[in-house]
Amino acid sequence: MKYFFTTLAVILCCVHYGSGQSFSVAGSVMDTLNSNPLHRASIVLIRAKDTVIEAHGRTSPGGTFSVPVSTAGKYMLRVTFPGFADYVDMLDVKNDMNLGMLPMISKSHLLQEYVVKQQVAAIKIKGDTTEYMADSFRVKENATVEDLLKKLPGIQVDKDGKITAQGETVQKILVDGEEFFSDDPKVVSKGLQANAVSTVQVFDKKSEQAAFTGIDDGEKTKTINLQLKDDKKKGFFGKIDAGAGTDGYFQEQGMINAFKAKRQLSAFGIASNTDKAGLGWEDNNKFGSGNGVTEITDDGGIMTYYNGGDDDFSGWGGQYNGEGLPKTWTGGVHYADKWNQEKQKLGGNYRYAKQNVELDGATMIQRILSDDSSNVNDQRKNQFSQNERHSADLQYEGKIDSNTTIRVSVNAGTKHSDIATRYHTETYIKKLESSGDTLYNDRTIVSMANATFINADAILRKKFAKKGRTLSVDVKENYKDSKSDGILLSTFYDELGSVPTPQINQKKINNTNTLSFSSKATYTEPLSKVVFADLNYGVTVNNSISENKSYEGAGYTALNDTFSSDYKYNILTNSGGLNFKFVFKKATFSFGSDVSHAAFVQTDRLHGDTTTTYNFTNLFPKGNLNYKIGKQTSFNLQYNGSTQQPTISQIQPLRQNTDPLNITIGNPNLKQAFTNRISVRFNDYKVLSGRYLWTSFTLNTTSNAITTEQNTAGGINTTRFINLDGGYNGWGYMGYGFKLKKLNTQLGLQLNGSTSRTNNIINGKLNTSDFSTISLTPRIDYELEDKIEISIDPTFSYNINKSTVSDVNANYWTFNPEASVDVELPKKVEIGTSVDISIREQTNVFTGNNNVVKWNAYVTKKFMKKDQLELKLSVYDILNQNLGFSRNAQPNLITQNTYNTIRRYGMLSLIWNFTYNPAGAAPAAENNTTIIK
């Protein structure tokens, strides 16, 4: 009977396709182990757009087949035969196709060679979620999650561990839906083993408010969720890596993970004096609107950064940036549990970090003053720093009833740092044909600092009977207290060996205290099935005190008013907003605006409690459009306006002379800046073919931008904060890639660019600076049956700098080719090598040769039945050329740093991957199996 229906289906297909242009897909099916054709193998062709069967047939006695196709398009081919693993491939049919021989592998042979999971398909698409069956992708024994991610179509991992999925940077990796130590993806990707993972889910995580209300607000975060295997949720697994190297280098790491049902318990520890400074957890720099901070850097330049939390102290957090020689000790403990049918959740982390760094370096700064004049600073630096910190966080989430939830989170910590730095600086005015007199400066800065922070957040959410009607109340507290005590010794010389004049000998005592409370209520109301209103109101109180005292004289008892300040800065903000959201099947659109009234009170407590008050009323318009062109194709257009308030360090009238050659002055008359931002993003990705196209552009324009007024005289640069209009900055990137299946090669091309314009005052003249950079990076990744992996990744960059105060050419290019090769040999031996070349153009000031070739290599030998034990010999910087170097260019300011760093060494490591699973071995795979290699 089944043959009757099969024959009838084929006849109907032939009748249907006979009425128009048609194609055919042909090929042959072969048992690759025994080199025999497979007779009567089932051939099914499925339309990709709607998963409807296009054609069905069976192979001839010679194993050949040919099935008709009515129209050109994308199709999925599935070949099945009893006792053999399914063969699945995606086809783009544009004309008649002959696929040649299709290999089939018997399941009995497959189970001897591969770890196989009971899954119908290796990749599933469920709505906006792409799900990969982990065991369908072959990785080496004891591979990490990072190794697994590199195998998955559409996911890329660069040399620094940065993960890109479907053209977007992955910002979170969850384990069974929960954060693991932190939301830094590197913690999970480098710390967990691949064989513990059942499925890898890639999706755009909605904002908490959108997930709660069910109203898409367009805010999404590219997220990966790792679902652990059931048997891995019982018992424990982990890794110990002990390494000893030449020249006293060492690197020790341990991590253990214990799971029992919903409970997670993990711990890690690291001790090293190499660049292994952490599992990847780092300071949480949360980018957001309205909290930008502009500061003058050590070299006198301008830097704007955004920081959404004070728990990082804007300091070191388990990272090593390559400058100096580090010694690092870091560790952490993670706990999470769910109970009462997952209605109650509790999680927490404790982290400890200590790092000592010995730094010897030099900084050369070229500050362009006019067409024929530049101020040049040549500085030598010797520094020892020790930073130590403790931090902990706790989160609780519970359901009061089916429609009401509460979440409370608290994080707190302390930081202690001791820093001793010695500088020798030579500064002079460089003319086109000559150089002016040189001013010499020696200074020593010794400081000890302590800081404490406590942050708390409580959110109550309530859903009502009417779908889309919700109420949420969010209350936050942020507290930070910082204290530092230091000594500044500074000596000026007109020439080397002359009598020093003048002498600075000051004791610096700095105390900063910030306390803020905020509350916000948000109400959503459905106006129809597709239109929703969002109404919010909030109050924020932000109080800051900054006390900076400079003492001199015998016993440091005389206060120097010029270099001291005691400032109080309070802000009271009331804000409200109304937004409308339109939610359709493929598109979401929202627009609206918030309005706020900010009252500022500034009190100069050092000079008679002088108080200044001023008020601002601001509109914050915003709009967002998301259009889902296809399951893996999307378009986004977004606009928002935001303010940037002056920080207390920018407005307090303090002359900061920590660097006497670069003095900064606060400005109590600063106004807030306002920024308009518009961004466009397009993303198109094909999962099975591995083809991707993504692009994004962002433009910011700022009025009343917080910038600087700089005056250089006698070799001393004085900088004061001011407001100026006319600034903007923008950036964008484009990427395209595809996979050559027959060659098993992934090709890609990425283009990055940025441009900016800043206005400032230089020696009384208005200066407009334009800076642009563009880089092009082709990428080739090749893999041969998991035995050979080759990656080639060269980057060419060009920097363009223009300034109205000067026509001096400050442009330069860099070329940075990178390549790596890994080869798996018999007897469980693997070898690999990588090369990173940096070629930098010389300039008229920076004439030295700073080109570097960094060449690394390793060889490993694995032992035990499942390769749990590994002996690894690595050699870092074989040519001993790792030159510590960085260059930063702005239109009228170029800074070049050189510093000591980790040079050539060898490391012998013993790595043990251990696991204990009381559930025993995983059950054998069933017949319905798909494997992707």
Side-chain angles (χ1 to χ4, degrees):
M1 180 66 69
K2 70 177 183 180
Y3 295 123
F4 170 80
F5 285 112
T6 299
T7 304
L8 180 61
V10 172
I11 293 174
L12 291 175
C13 288
C14 292
V15 172
H16 174 72
Y17 296 129
S19 60
Q21 182 183 10
S22 63
F23 307 108
S24 66
V25 175
S28 63
V29 180
M30 183 76 70
D31 173 5
T32 56
L33 180 63
N34 301 308
S35 299
N36 293 327
L38 295 179
H39 179 210
R40 299 196 63 77
S42 174
I43 310 296
V44 179
L45 202 62
I46 302 172
R47 293 204 301 259
K49 63 180 181 179
D50 54 13
T51 68
V52 173
I53 294 178
E54 175 78 3
H56 178 272
R58 290 191 179 271
T59 56
S60 69
T64 62
F65 69 92
S66 178
V67 293
V69 181
S70 62
T71 58
K74 302 285 182 70
Y75 297 87
M76 183 175 73
L77 175 71
R78 181 184 292 274
V79 182
T80 59
F81 192 86
F84 285 77
D86 295 354
Y87 179 92
V88 179
D89 196 7
M90 291 298 296
L91 306 179
D92 188 359
V93 179
K94 298 179 180 178
N95 45 42
D96 292 340
M97 297 182 67
N98 192 320
L99 304 177
M101 190 273 291
L102 306 182
M104 300 288 283
I105 303 174
S106 67
K107 290 178 179 177
S108 60
H109 180 69
L110 187 67
L111 291 174
Q112 296 173 8
E113 298 294 330
Y114 300 92
V115 179
V116 183
K117 180 71 178 176
Q118 307 174 64
Q119 296 292 348
V120 175
I123 304 175
K124 295 180 180 179
I125 298 177
K126 301 177 180 179
D128 294 333
T129 300
T130 302
E131 188 173 272
Y132 303 86
M133 308 300 117
D135 283 347
S136 295
F137 300 85
R138 182 175 182 261
V139 293
K140 300 169 185 176
E141 288 285 354
N142 301 306
T144 64
V145 167
E146 181 177 277
D147 298 323
L148 172 62
L149 295 179
K150 291 178 180 179
K151 300 287 186 178
L152 305 184
I155 298 180
Q156 297 176 345
V157 184
D158 67 12
K159 64 175 183 176
D160 299 320
K162 178 185 175 182
I163 304 168
T164 302
Q166 301 168 3
E168 297 179 64
T169 300
V170 174
Q171 301 180 40
K172 289 179 179 287
I173 291 187
L174 309 177
V175 177
D176 285 336
E178 303 294 333
E179 289 188 359
F180 194 76
F181 281 108
S182 75
D183 59 2
D184 182 9
K186 298 176 189 175
V187 176
V188 183
S189 64
K190 294 179 180 294
L192 287 182
Q193 295 180 7
N195 62 12
V197 178
S198 170
T199 60
V200 178
Q201 299 170 334
V202 180
F203 59 96
D204 289 322
K205 182 178 175 62
K206 296 180 180 180
S207 67
E208 290 189 6
Q209 184 67 10
F212 164 63
T213 62
I215 306 171
D216 193 343
D217 58 7
E219 297 181 14
K220 299 181 185 298
T221 301
K222 185 62 70 175
T223 303
I224 289 178
N225 181 46
L226 304 174
Q227 293 284 354
L228 298 184
K229 298 174 182 176
D230 289 338
D231 62 304
K232 294 298 182 181
K233 297 178 183 180
K234 300 176 182 179
F236 59 86
F237 63 92
K239 177 180 180 180
I240 295 177
D241 183 348
T246 59
D247 300 322
Y249 285 102
F250 62 90
Q251 182 174 295
E252 327 294 342
Q253 174 185 329
M255 185 173 189
I256 183 171
N257 309 278
F259 295 87
K260 185 177 180 181
K262 299 296 182 181
R263 189 205 68 192
Q264 301 176 2
L265 181 62
S266 303
F268 79 91
I270 292 174
S272 78
N273 61 352
T274 66
D275 59 352
K276 187 68 175 179
L279 283 173
W281 61 271
E282 56 192 29
D283 295 332
N284 295 323
N285 291 321
K286 306 296 186 184
F287 289 84
S289 62
N291 59 350
V293 179
T294 302
E295 289 189 349
I296 299 297
T297 59
D298 290 339
D299 56 22
I302 310 169
M303 178 180 71
T304 300
Y305 64 90
Y306 296 86
N307 181 10
D310 289 329
D311 58 323
D312 61 347
F313 305 128
S314 301
W316 175 79
Q319 298 292 294
Y320 168 62
N321 61 7
E323 296 189 19
L325 302 177
K327 288 185 179 180
T328 304
W329 302 265
T330 181
V333 179
H334 165 76
Y335 172 83
D337 200 2
K338 303 176 183 178
W339 66 95
N340 190 18
Q341 299 179 336
E342 299 191 13
K343 294 180 180 179
Q344 314 292 324
K345 300 178 184 179
L346 182 67
N349 299 281
Y350 165 76
R351 298 192 294 270
Y352 169 80
K354 180 180 179 180
Q355 187 181 66
N356 298 342
V357 179
E358 296 179 16
L359 174 63
D360 288 303
T363 301
M364 182 174 286
I365 305 170
Q366 179 189 15
R367 183 177 289 105
I368 301 172
L369 305 177
S370 62
D371 288 341
D372 63 348
S373 178
S374 297
N375 176 240
V376 178
N377 285 57
D378 189 356
Q379 177 179 275
R380 303 291 185 269
K381 176 180 178 180
N382 178 272
Q383 183 182 81
F384 176 80
S385 62
Q386 181 179 87
N387 291 278
E388 184 176 20
R389 78 175 206 172
H390 302 263
S391 63
D393 60 80
L394 187 67
Q395 305 89 33
Y396 168 79
E397 184 172 345
K399 289 188 176 181
I400 300 176
D401 55 45
S402 60
N403 293 318
T404 309
T405 62
I406 186 171
R407 191 187 69 184
V408 179
S409 60
V410 179
N411 62 89
T414 63
K415 177 183 176 180
H416 174 80
S417 65
D418 291 293
I419 303 176
T421 312
R422 291 182 175 86
Y423 299 91
H424 173 75
T425 305
E426 300 178 6
T427 181
Y428 57 90
I429 300 298
K430 181 180 178 62
K431 303 286 186 178
L432 288 179
E433 303 296 335
S434 63
S435 297
D437 294 335
T438 301
L439 179 66
Y440 301 93
N441 175 250
D442 291 329
R443 60 190 168 105
T444 299
I445 301 176
V446 179
S447 66
M448 178 184 69
N450 292 283
T452 304
F453 75 90
I454 303 174
N455 300 325
D457 187 7
I459 303 176
L460 179 68
R461 294 189 171 107
K462 172 72 175 178
K463 291 183 179 180
F464 297 94
K466 188 175 182 179
K467 184 179 179 181
R469 179 180 293 169
T470 67
L471 176 65
S472 62
V473 179
D474 188 358
V475 179
K476 295 181 180 180
E477 171 273 337
N478 300 96
Y479 170 79
K480 176 183 174 182
D481 183 74
S482 302
K483 294 180 172 62
S484 67
D485 191 336
I487 299 294
L488 169 65
L489 302 175
S490 178
T491 304
F492 287 99
Y493 298 83
D494 292 329
E495 60 182 68
L496 291 177
S498 65
V499 177
T501 57
Q503 176 80 32
I504 299 176
N505 184 355
Q506 294 178 346
K507 182 175 183 178
K508 303 282 189 178
I509 298 178
N510 303 312
N511 298 316
T512 301
N513 183 282
T514 301
L515 177 63
S516 67
F517 289 95
S518 65
S519 61
K520 184 176 183 179
T522 303
Y523 175 76
T524 63
E525 176 68 22
L527 303 180
S528 71
K529 291 183 178 181
V530 296
V531 183
F532 301 84
D534 180 316
L535 182 66
N536 66 81
Y537 175 75
V539 178
T540 301
V541 178
N542 192 327
N543 296 336
S544 300
I545 297 176
S546 181
E547 182 183 11
N548 302 273
K549 301 292 182 65
S550 295
Y551 295 93
E552 53 193 18
Y556 299 112
T557 56
L559 180 67
N560 187 315
D561 285 352
T562 302
F563 298 104
S564 299
S565 71
D566 188 352
Y567 219 69
K568 186 176 181 180
Y569 187 31
N570 294 344
I571 308 174
L572 173 63
T573 304
N574 286 269
S575 62
L578 177 62
N579 301 277
F580 295 94
K581 297 181 176 67
F582 300 79
V583 181
F584 303 98
K585 184 177 181 180
K586 287 191 173 184
T588 61
F589 174 66
S590 64
F591 70 91
S593 180
D594 290 350
V595 59
S596 74
H597 179 268
F600 296 79
V601 180
Q602 301 172 201
T603 303
D604 186 347
R605 305 196 305 179
L606 187 66
H607 302 93
D609 284 337
T610 304
T611 299
T612 303
T613 62
Y614 52 95
N615 300 274
F616 288 106
T617 300
N618 294 300
L619 287 175
F620 300 96
K622 53 187 175 182
N624 188 71
L625 170 65
N626 280 296
Y627 182 64
K628 200 74 173 179
I629 303 172
K631 287 186 176 181
Q632 301 296 320
T633 306
S634 62
F635 172 82
N636 173 260
L637 175 64
Q638 188 175 48
Y639 164 80
N640 69 281
S642 61
T643 60
Q644 176 188 328
Q645 312 295 346
T647 67
I648 192 169
S649 62
Q650 294 169 340
I651 66 169
Q652 61 181 344
L654 171 68
R655 292 178 65 89
Q656 182 59 263
N657 69 332
T658 305
D659 180 359
L661 294 175
N662 293 283
I663 296 175
T664 60
I665 305 174
N667 181 3
N669 297 316
L670 274 181
K671 300 177 181 179
Q672 62 180 1
F674 189 87
T675 298
N676 295 283
R677 169 176 292 192
I678 186 169
S679 61
V680 180
R681 179 176 60 84
F682 175 78
N683 187 27
D684 182 31
Y685 178 69
K686 305 302 179 186
V687 176
L688 295 180
S689 64
R691 198 271 295 163
Y692 64 85
L693 171 65
W694 38 268
T695 182
S696 177
F697 299 95
T698 301
L699 176 66
N700 294 330
T701 61
T702 304
S703 58
N704 275 334
I706 300 176
T707 181
T708 60
E709 179 183 32
Q710 300 179 18
N711 289 281
T712 302
I716 297 177
N717 184 68
T718 303
T719 301
R720 188 174 73 100
F721 293 104
I722 60 173
N723 294 104
L724 284 177
D725 289 328
Y728 64 82
N729 65 85
W731 62 90
Y733 58 82
M734 297 180 65
Y736 179 76
F738 58 92
K739 188 171 185 178
L740 300 175
K741 290 189 175 182
K742 292 184 178 180
L743 299 178
N744 206 20
T745 301
Q746 182 77 38
L747 301 178
L749 183 67
Q750 182 166 332
L751 178 67
N752 293 277
S754 65
T755 185
S756 66
R757 168 169 289 184
T758 58
N759 294 307
N760 66 341
I761 305 295
I762 297 180
N763 287 345
K765 296 181 179 180
L766 176 64
N767 174 55
T768 298
S769 301
D770 293 307
F771 171 74
S772 299
T773 181
I774 188 170
S775 67
L776 182 66
T777 305
R779 182 180 178 89
I780 303 174
D781 292 297
Y782 170 76
E783 182 178 335
L784 177 61
E785 297 180 351
D786 297 315
K787 300 295 183 181
I788 300 177
E789 295 181 7
I790 301 175
S791 177
I792 303 174
D793 188 15
T795 299
F796 179 83
S797 300
Y798 190 70
N799 298 273
I800 304 171
N801 298 274
K802 296 180 180 179
S803 178
T804 57
V805 299
S806 171
D807 291 330
V808 176
N809 184 0
N811 305 337
Y812 68 92
W813 55 260
T814 62
F815 182 50
N816 182 212
E818 300 176 13
S820 65
V821 179
D822 300 277
V823 182
E824 188 174 317
L825 302 175
K827 306 292 185 181
K828 298 184 178 182
V829 175
E830 182 180 328
I831 61 174
T833 186
S834 65
V835 62
D836 183 351
I837 304 173
S838 297
I839 302 174
R840 310 172 177 100
E841 183 183 10
Q842 300 175 6
T843 71
N844 59 345
V845 172
F846 309 120
T847 57
N849 181 5
N850 293 299
N851 299 332
V852 173
V853 178
K854 290 189 288 187
W855 178 25
N856 307 327
Y858 73 89
V859 57
T860 69
K861 166 68 176 177
K862 296 180 179 179
F863 305 90
M864 302 178 69
K865 185 177 180 180
K866 292 187 176 181
D867 300 343
Q868 293 139 305
L869 196 64
E870 178 181 349
L871 187 65
K872 183 175 184 179
L873 176 63
S874 306
V875 182
Y876 175 85
D877 190 21
I878 296 174
L879 302 179
N880 200 28
Q881 289 191 10
N882 186 29
L883 175 68
F885 175 88
S886 65
R887 181 185 292 168
N888 179 44
Q890 299 179 32
N892 65 307
L893 182 72
I894 301 180
T895 303
Q896 181 169 290
N897 295 310
T898 56
Y899 42 83
N900 63 328
T901 189
I902 297 173
R903 302 294 290 265
R904 179 172 57 196
Y905 70 90
M907 180 73 69
L908 183 64
S909 302
L910 187 62
I911 304 167
W912 178 38
N913 290 275
F914 58 88
T915 182
Y916 172 72
N917 176 17
E926 297 180 357
N927 290 336
N928 202 357
T929 303
T930 300
I931 192 78
I932 288 184
K933 295 191 293 179

